[in-house]
Amino acid sequence: MPAPSPCPAEPPQAKVRAERAGRLAETLAAWVLRLKGFRVLERRVRTPVGEIDLVAMRGALVLIVEVKRRPTHAEALAAVTPRQRHRLARAAAWLMARDARLAGADMRFDVVSVDKWMRVRHLSDAWRE
């Protein structure tokens, strides 16, 4: 008798809903950053070492932003694990080395959390590498 699957496959509808919710959260995060005076340079940057949700800039400061949508802001912040922070740092280093616009800029890691009511919170300088 075959062993049961440890986790059933997610129905396609649920994946589509989750993808839409994630994109909406990123759009809200981008608008919050724009209202704070940042220029969003890129969204969903794929690098060989990982993906960066948002890259924003104001003056000589570059933000590497992780966007998390969870039922509560606390859950969203807890979802940014040490492993994920390390992956983001590697992806950011890769991007900073290859994008001339970012040469000489200071870098900061921020988290934007979006709760189930679509309330947005921006945590500046969420961690340091």
Side-chain angles (χ1 to χ4, degrees):
M1 182 168 155
S5 172
C7 136
E10 195 173 353
Q13 299 163 342
K15 280 189 175 189
V16 169
R17 277 194 304 271
E19 177 71 19
R20 283 184 186 156
R23 285 191 185 272
L24 176 59
E26 287 175 3
T27 299
L28 291 171
W31 277 109
V32 165
L33 293 173
R34 284 183 187 111
L35 289 171
K36 291 184 174 191
F38 288 93
R39 184 169 42 110
V40 176
L41 301 177
E42 296 188 53
R43 292 175 62 166
R44 293 191 174 201
V45 179
R46 292 182 186 241
T47 73
V49 292
E51 182 180 298
I52 301 170
D53 292 336
L54 295 172
V55 178
M57 190 170 195
R58 181 174 64 195
L61 176 64
V62 174
L63 298 187
I64 304 299
V65 182
E66 180 66 15
V67 179
K68 288 292 182 186
R69 183 178 183 277
R70 297 289 190 276
T72 67
H73 293 290
E75 289 176 70
L77 295 177
V80 184
T81 63
R83 181 178 178 192
Q84 188 173 26
R85 289 192 299 263
H86 179 70
R87 179 189 55 76
L88 279 167
R90 289 178 52 216
W94 185 91
L95 180 67
M96 295 286 283
R98 284 159 183 80
D99 193 330
R101 297 174 296 181
L102 310 180
D106 294 324
M107 182 175 58
R108 187 173 84 191
F109 295 96
D110 289 8
V111 175
V112 174
S113 63
V114 181
D115 69 9
K116 66 182 176 182
W117 306 107
M118 295 310 218
R119 291 180 297 203
V120 180
R121 288 199 183 147
H122 175 206
L123 177 61
S124 298
D125 207 9
W127 74 87
R128 296 194 181 239
E129 276 301 308

